[in-house]
Amino acid sequence: MKEIKIEINIRALRYEELDEKDRKLIDAAKEATARSYAPYSRFSVGAAALLANGVIVTGTNQENAAYPSGTCAERTTLFYANSQSPDQPVDTLAIAARNESDFLESPIPPCGACRQVLLETEQRFHQPMRILLYSKNDIYVLEGTKDLLPLSFGSEYLK
Ligand code: THU
């Protein structure tokens, strides 16, 4: 028997400790939550993607009466960014979420399906995508999807 341990690295910073570029992206993700369509969960998620050319693209969760037809903010944002600018790597993705009273006390973890889409975005552009998970307290900073989706299935297995 062999035990395999996979280490992930997350830095937890306060908003004030982030540089201006990251703060701006977090602000964009927070602002985006106001444009969420979440009449069923009342849980509003916003994401902001900083593209390599400096453009910031935002997106939100979009729900549907047929629940599985809805989409998370991360996928809305990355699919839109990749549709509009298919040649632009995503440098950083910031995610923020709020319920009806306020933003969350602990960082919002993307769902499993979104993690898989984050991974694909990285792989298609051959460079790590930084991820910022916002909360009112700590903000988690990850240097790539390897710290969010260890032991991942990607295109390399299809070769
Ligand atoms: N949601 C996101 O947009 N991103 C996540 O990472 C987790 C969940 C959305 C989906 C749904 O509209 C609502 O939050 C409640 O699950």
Side-chain angles (χ1 to χ4, degrees), residues 3 6 9 20 29 36 40 55 67 74 91 113 128 132 141-142 145:
E3 198 176 327
I6 302 177
N9 294 295
E20 205 187 317
S36 151
Y40 305 104
V55 170
Y67 291 0
E74 296 87 329
D91 178 89
L132 310 175
V141 180
L142 290 75
T145 55

Side-chain angles (χ1 to χ4, degrees), residues 37-38 41 43 45 61-63 71-74 95 108-111 114:
Y37 178 66
S41 70
F43 186 72
V45 187
N61 55 329
Q62 296 293 313
E63 298 186 348
T71 305
C72 294
E74 296 87 329
I95 307 158
I108 157 103
C111 80
C114 285

Side-chain angles (χ1 to χ4, degrees), residues 40-159:
Y40 305 104
S41 70
R42 306 250 165 228
F43 186 72
S44 300
V45 187
L50 172 66
L51 309 187
N53 63 5
V55 170
I56 292 177
V57 172
T58 62
T60 61
N61 55 329
Q62 296 293 313
E63 298 186 348
N64 193 283
Y67 291 0
S69 302
T71 305
C72 294
E74 296 87 329
R75 274 176 286 165
T76 306
T77 305
L78 290 180
F79 288 154
Y80 181 72
N82 294 336
S83 300
Q84 293 297 310
S85 309
D87 59 337
Q88 288 298 314
V90 181
D91 178 89
T92 309
L93 180 74
I95 307 158
R98 55 171 302 144
N99 53 34
E100 282 180 291
S101 31
D102 204 353
F103 286 97
L104 304 190
E105 299 283 346
S106 52
I108 157 103
C111 80
C114 285
R115 289 175 199 220
Q116 191 67 32
V117 171
L118 265 63
L119 171 75
E120 185 86 18
T121 302
E122 260 190 1
Q123 291 194 330
R124 98 181 245 185
F125 294 114
H126 308 289
Q127 66 177 66
M129 177 171 65
R130 294 176 65 245
I131 301 158
L132 310 175
L133 308 179
Y134 175 77
S135 83
K136 288 196 294 179
N137 302 305
D138 282 338
I139 294 163
Y140 286 174
V141 180
L142 290 75
E143 294 304 322
T145 55
K146 66 179 188 341
D147 294 319
L148 199 55
L149 190 63
L151 205 66
S152 57
F153 176 81
S155 54
E156 65 274 24
Y157 290 98
L158 299 176
K159 282 169 194 147

